[in-house]
Amino acid sequence: MELQKMMICCFFAASVGFSSESISNCDEVRKVFQLRQIGPVKSLPERPQEGSELQVCQSRNLTCCTKKMEERYQVAARRDVQNLLQTSSSSLKFLISRNVAAFQESFESLMKAAENQTNVVLQASYRNMAVEASGPVRELFTDIGLFLLGSELNIDDITRRFFDSLFPLVYNHLINPDLSHIAPGYAECVRAARRSLAPFGASPGILANQIGRSGVGGRVLLQALHLGIEVINTTDHLAFSRECRRALLRMQFCPHCQGLTQSKPCMGFCLNVMRGCLASMAEVDPHWREFVRSLEGLSKRMHGSQDLEQVLLGVHNLVHDAVAHAQNIGPRLSAQVHKVCGRPSRQPAQSVSGQQSGARESIPLKSPPRETGDNLATRRKEFLNSLRQYRTFYGGLADQLCVSELASTDSLACWNGADIVKSYTFQVVGNGIKAQADNLEVRVKEVDPVVNQIIDKLKHVNQWFRTQGLTTVITNTPIGTTQKTGTGLPPRV
């Protein structure tokens, strides 16, 4: 096959009037070698010489290359293509990274707004206990924020701790307001009795359910975007095989050895080389497409009761209703607490007053206004509209690099790996590992192991979306768990 290619190359080179036989000096080669910063020019030949020691850029004619130059050209060819890969993916990587940061910032802003609203409602309706309640409120929203960011917290435990902490305050200030302040030991007994007495009615369960339903979507979204960045980082730093490196050298710099520093590879030649080198990346394509579609499906489900913003900004209503319910059944609760904990023991009122006056300054008097045009739903929609444009990124990457950067775009003359010709006459293979069986330029045996690992991670995520679906996970499993039921995705996929 190599002999056949050589014979055809010679025929076309002669017919179009291009040949490396006429090269008389290596000045242009030395100049480009220096301009491209490929290596030092001191040892470069000034005139063409025999190239019997060359491993890849072999020619019947005299050459301006040495074995050392060939080695440096190979490093430069690999570096150039890796730079092109990173440049091609830079906008996609920036899109995802920027939105990960933006979503996290939005979550933090949302937590603060929801916390402030809850404190405002408590201050307006239950002023006597609002100061002390601000601590449990802050802890509630801090824990919800940590859950969204992937921590091993459980939503049921988060809401349970909040209402456990709230009940002694309600009991002390609203159910038995004549008490100055109950002792810590008695308060702990009241706290422990909360779960059996159910003083807040259905509100704790509703709150856990709503946060669990809406929080899972936000948590999964962030985890999936981190995986997207990992996919890009992996493919950006793909290690090229020996066969690929030699093919890149032959495509980009072997013509320099013959003084053809301005030539570009034929389109077919470039496609075969790049499709061979990036065959493993092409295998990412179907899984990446499904990944993007899955994110779109996830976003569509995040509305109504699964809209995180709507749920969190409504927490204050549930807390208000919970406290009101406990207040309404106060006499019954008081009797039940006495049975469990006995009569309350009191602390001096003066120390309590001092505590309250010192803490009152931290309670906000009004909730900051939120921009309706910059909510989470709008941000998600804008992000996914942009991400959709990159759905076919991995399937067409080799073709994109050849068309826009590497290959000759005119029909006059091009480099086919051995000489200047009118066109590349050998079979052009498709994308993917299987298609490379007929590739004359690059031999490819299997998917790169590192790329295989990232494909497995995409398969895992896509399988979760496909077989369970967000709606199934949220409605058919206990709310608020993480590894067992909450997201189905580990913190680091």
Side-chain angles (χ1 to χ4, degrees):
M1 183 58 69
E2 290 296 328
L3 178 61
Q4 179 187 7
K5 288 176 66 176
M6 186 71 72
M7 292 174 63
I8 294 175
C9 293
C10 294
F11 169 77
F12 278 111
S15 64
V16 298
F18 289 100
S19 175
S20 56
E21 293 182 3
S22 60
I23 183 173
S24 59
N25 62 65
C26 299
D27 292 348
E28 183 66 19
V29 176
R30 292 166 59 90
K31 178 181 177 183
V32 174
F33 195 89
Q34 185 175 26
L35 287 174
R36 296 285 300 271
Q37 297 182 336
I38 296 172
V41 296
K42 292 180 180 180
S43 59
L44 302 189
E46 296 184 0
R47 294 186 177 279
Q49 59 187 24
E50 293 289 338
S52 58
E53 63 177 359
L54 300 182
Q55 300 296 310
V56 179
C57 300
Q58 298 172 342
S59 172
R60 304 178 316 280
N61 307 315
L62 297 179
T63 178
C64 285
C65 285
T66 63
K67 184 178 179 181
K68 191 66 175 178
M69 288 175 65
E70 193 179 47
E71 292 172 356
R72 292 186 179 275
Y73 275 140
Q74 186 171 141
V75 172
R78 175 181 54 80
R79 180 192 62 208
D80 288 351
V81 171
Q82 285 185 326
N83 288 340
L84 286 176
L85 287 173
Q86 292 174 21
T87 300
S88 297
S89 65
S90 60
S91 57
L92 172 59
K93 185 176 181 179
F94 177 72
L95 172 68
I96 298 178
S97 301
R98 180 187 63 193
N99 278 277
V100 166
F103 284 131
Q104 290 177 342
E105 183 180 342
S106 294
F107 287 162
E108 292 173 4
S109 175
L110 182 57
M111 293 302 129
K112 291 178 182 178
E115 178 185 340
N116 286 345
Q117 281 189 344
T118 305
N119 282 327
V120 166
V121 167
L122 292 176
Q123 179 76 9
S125 301
Y126 309 106
R127 177 177 293 271
N128 290 341
M129 72 168 209
V131 172
E132 292 179 74
S134 64
V137 169
R138 183 183 308 111
E139 183 180 359
L140 170 67
F141 288 103
T142 297
D143 287 346
I144 294 173
L146 292 173
F147 169 77
L148 292 174
L149 296 178
S151 74
E152 298 293 333
L153 292 174
N154 180 295
I155 291 296
D156 285 333
D157 291 341
I158 291 173
T159 54
R160 190 180 295 120
R161 282 197 300 272
F162 169 69
F163 285 105
D164 285 351
S165 299
L166 190 63
F167 185 43
L169 304 181
V170 173
Y171 177 79
N172 185 39
H173 293 287
L174 301 179
I175 295 176
N176 285 304
D178 293 336
L179 296 175
S180 58
H181 190 66
I182 56 177
Y186 192 83
E188 184 58 36
C189 181
V190 174
R191 174 190 175 95
R194 198 276 305 177
R195 300 180 192 181
S196 61
L197 301 182
F200 299 118
S203 293
I206 294 173
L207 181 60
N209 186 286
Q210 289 186 354
I211 294 176
R213 290 169 67 89
S214 60
V216 163
R219 178 184 172 104
V220 170
L221 178 62
L222 279 181
Q223 290 179 330
L225 295 188
H226 281 295
L227 174 58
I229 295 174
E230 184 180 352
V231 171
I232 299 167
N233 285 337
T234 299
T235 54
D236 270 357
H237 298 90
L238 180 68
F240 294 131
S241 67
R242 178 176 180 273
E243 284 286 331
C244 170
R245 295 195 301 270
R246 289 166 68 92
L248 291 176
L249 165 61
R250 188 166 60 252
M251 180 179 77
Q252 292 182 267
F253 289 109
C254 281
H256 289 217
C257 296
Q258 300 182 33
L260 305 172
T261 57
Q262 301 302 315
S263 67
K264 280 198 166 187
C266 302
M267 182 61 70
F269 177 43
C270 180
L271 289 174
N272 273 349
V273 171
M274 295 309 297
R275 287 175 178 177
C277 287
L278 303 184
S280 291
M281 280 200 199
E283 296 298 318
V284 176
D285 177 57
H287 310 290
W288 178 260
R289 289 174 186 250
E290 185 177 355
F291 176 72
V292 174
R293 287 196 301 269
S294 298
L295 289 179
E296 292 175 350
L298 171 64
S299 181
K300 289 177 181 177
R301 294 188 181 100
M302 295 172 68
H303 61 82
S305 63
Q306 296 182 28
D307 184 332
L308 181 63
E309 185 170 32
Q310 178 178 315
V311 167
L312 289 178
L313 293 179
V315 167
H316 67 278
N317 290 323
L318 277 171
V319 173
H320 180 275
D321 292 346
V323 175
H325 182 274
Q327 193 173 23
N328 289 336
I329 61 171
R332 177 166 63 86
L333 285 175
S334 183
Q336 290 174 327
V337 169
H338 291 168
K339 287 182 180 180
V340 175
C341 301
R343 294 288 175 178
S345 55
R346 299 172 177 81
Q347 274 192 335
Q350 184 177 359
S351 63
V352 178
S353 174
Q355 292 172 7
Q356 291 182 350
S357 62
R360 191 177 301 275
E361 297 297 326
S362 65
I363 301 296
L365 297 180
K366 65 178 181 177
S367 179
R370 288 183 56 81
E371 297 292 336
T372 57
D374 191 32
N375 58 25
L376 281 170
T378 301
R379 189 180 294 279
R380 281 198 314 271
K381 183 178 180 180
E382 292 175 351
F383 165 65
L384 289 170
N385 284 340
S386 299
L387 183 64
R388 194 177 296 116
Q389 301 174 24
Y390 295 93
R391 192 169 49 204
T392 61
F393 176 76
Y394 285 104
L397 187 55
D399 300 44
Q400 175 193 332
L401 293 180
C402 285
V403 171
S404 62
E405 300 289 344
L406 297 172
S408 173
T409 55
D410 60 52
S411 58
L412 297 178
C414 58
W415 174 257
N416 73 346
D419 220 324
I420 296 296
V421 295
K422 280 186 175 179
S423 63
Y424 185 74
T425 58
F426 300 101
Q427 177 185 355
V428 178
V429 301
N431 285 294
I433 294 293
K434 291 183 179 179
Q436 306 315 306
D438 299 320
N439 195 331
L440 296 176
E441 309 299 343
V442 186
R443 287 183 295 181
V444 183
K445 295 181 179 180
E446 58 188 5
V447 178
D448 180 273
V450 177
V451 175
N452 242 340
Q453 290 177 7
I454 207 68
I455 288 175
D456 286 342
K457 292 185 178 184
L458 284 172
K459 284 181 177 179
H460 170 75
V461 175
N462 292 336
Q463 180 72 10
W464 181 83
F465 280 117
R466 186 168 58 249
T467 61
Q468 298 187 49
L470 185 61
T471 304
T472 303
V473 171
I474 290 176
T475 57
N476 293 346
T477 57
I479 298 301
T481 55
T482 55
Q483 292 301 298
K484 294 181 180 179
T485 60
T487 66
L489 296 177
R492 292 180 178 84
V493 182

